[in-house]
Amino acid sequence: MTKRVLHVVTNVGHYDDPSHATGLWLSELTHAWHVFEEHGYEQKLVSPAGGAVPLEPRALKFPNYDRTAKAWRADPAKTALLENTASPDGIDPSEYDAIYFTGGHAVMYDFPGSEGLQHITREIYERGGIVSSVCHGYCGLLDTRLSDGSHLIAGRRMTGFAWTEEVLARVDKLVPYNAEERAKQRGALYEKAVLPFVSHVVTDGNLVTGQNPVSAKATAKKVVEAVEGAAARKRG
């Protein structure tokens, strides 16, 4: 049976200060999409509000604007996917083997408060599916609780964009909160690479998280491993 992955993307186009644009960090989607495509997975995009997805301007410049991102924007069918994403109430969680939260600072605003996304995530997680995120995508996991009321990330090893990286990227004064600190407050066993801006992925059971944009490809590969492992356990 064909495996299915649900990508979560943002609807937000700027920080609290409207003069500072943000949005989806495109390569975090395109790198993962390419990996899942190579494995024959079906893929779909969902966003907190449904509809159009703005792009982070900095992700469309060298060195972040790479071959996969350029190919996506050159493909009318692919760009159309970002113009009309599904909303959470149109998604049946039972149809997906994994959920993958993309990043970009925009997600700090609309991922955490989405009860629809929380419902989908909880349903996938509790039946043994894979929950994953890259970079700021883990903001979508901060407020997700399991059926017993506990935070999904409590007591789990995970990673995501580090506060050190926010400072080095010079956006620490723009972001609405410290995501790393919030994850720790929820009980997460947060980890990060020794050096900033290098690929780092943490897998803890059916939770797979990547630290930053350059971790997207490696994160997707770990998601594939986890999905295939879960399928093998069910067969066994």
Side-chain angles (χ1 to χ4, degrees):
M1 184 179 291
T2 302
K3 301 295 190 297
R4 304 187 75 192
V5 178
L6 184 65
H7 296 262
V8 188
V9 289
T10 186
N11 301 116
V12 173
H14 59 77
Y15 291 89
D16 287 321
D17 180 346
S19 67
H20 290 277
T22 183
L24 164 68
W25 196 280
L26 186 58
S27 65
E28 293 176 13
L29 170 64
T30 60
H31 284 190
W33 189 282
H34 184 66
V35 170
F36 297 137
E37 196 169 52
E38 284 184 326
H39 286 82
Y41 286 18
E42 288 185 12
Q43 304 180 71
K44 190 176 182 70
L45 297 178
V46 66
S47 60
V53 178
L55 300 179
E56 162 64 58
R58 291 197 303 174
L60 303 179
K61 298 176 181 176
F62 179 84
N64 306 304
Y65 193 40
D66 66 0
R67 181 174 52 83
T68 62
K70 290 176 181 175
W72 184 288
R73 293 188 80 202
D75 184 340
K78 289 278 177 51
T79 56
L81 293 177
L82 290 173
E83 293 166 3
N84 188 28
T85 60
S87 59
D89 58 7
I91 298 296
D92 179 355
S94 68
E95 296 180 350
Y96 294 91
D97 299 276
I99 186 169
Y100 171 81
F101 286 83
T102 62
H105 287 93
V107 311
M108 300 182 78
Y109 295 94
D110 62 347
F111 277 13
S114 173
E115 293 183 4
L117 290 178
Q118 291 171 25
H119 168 73
I120 294 168
T121 304
R122 179 170 54 252
E123 291 291 314
I124 291 175
Y125 186 84
E126 292 190 335
R127 64 173 169 75
I130 309 306
V131 169
S132 63
S133 66
V134 70
C135 200
H136 289 89
Y138 74 125
C139 294
L141 307 178
L142 293 177
D143 295 335
T144 300
R145 294 180 182 270
L146 302 178
S147 296
D148 64 4
S150 65
H151 284 287
L152 184 153
I153 60 176
R156 307 302 299 272
R157 294 174 52 242
M158 65 165 296
T159 190
F161 205 65
W163 184 250
T164 305
E165 291 170 319
E166 303 281 25
V167 173
L168 292 173
R170 297 181 180 177
V171 290
D172 53 304
K173 301 293 193 298
L174 287 173
V175 294
Y177 53 86
N178 182 331
E180 176 186 333
E181 188 58 36
R182 282 204 181 177
K184 293 173 181 175
Q185 289 170 357
R186 305 301 194 260
L189 306 178
Y190 178 87
E191 302 177 8
K192 63 183 177 182
V194 175
L195 296 175
F197 304 117
V198 297
S199 180
H200 183 63
V201 182
V202 176
T203 300
D204 187 345
N206 54 340
L207 178 64
V208 180
T209 51
Q211 184 175 327
N212 43 39
V214 297
S215 306
K217 184 176 181 180
T219 301
K221 288 182 175 181
K222 288 296 184 182
V223 170
V224 170
E225 285 181 21
V227 167
E228 302 301 333
R233 287 191 293 276
K234 287 181 181 178
R235 289 195 300 269

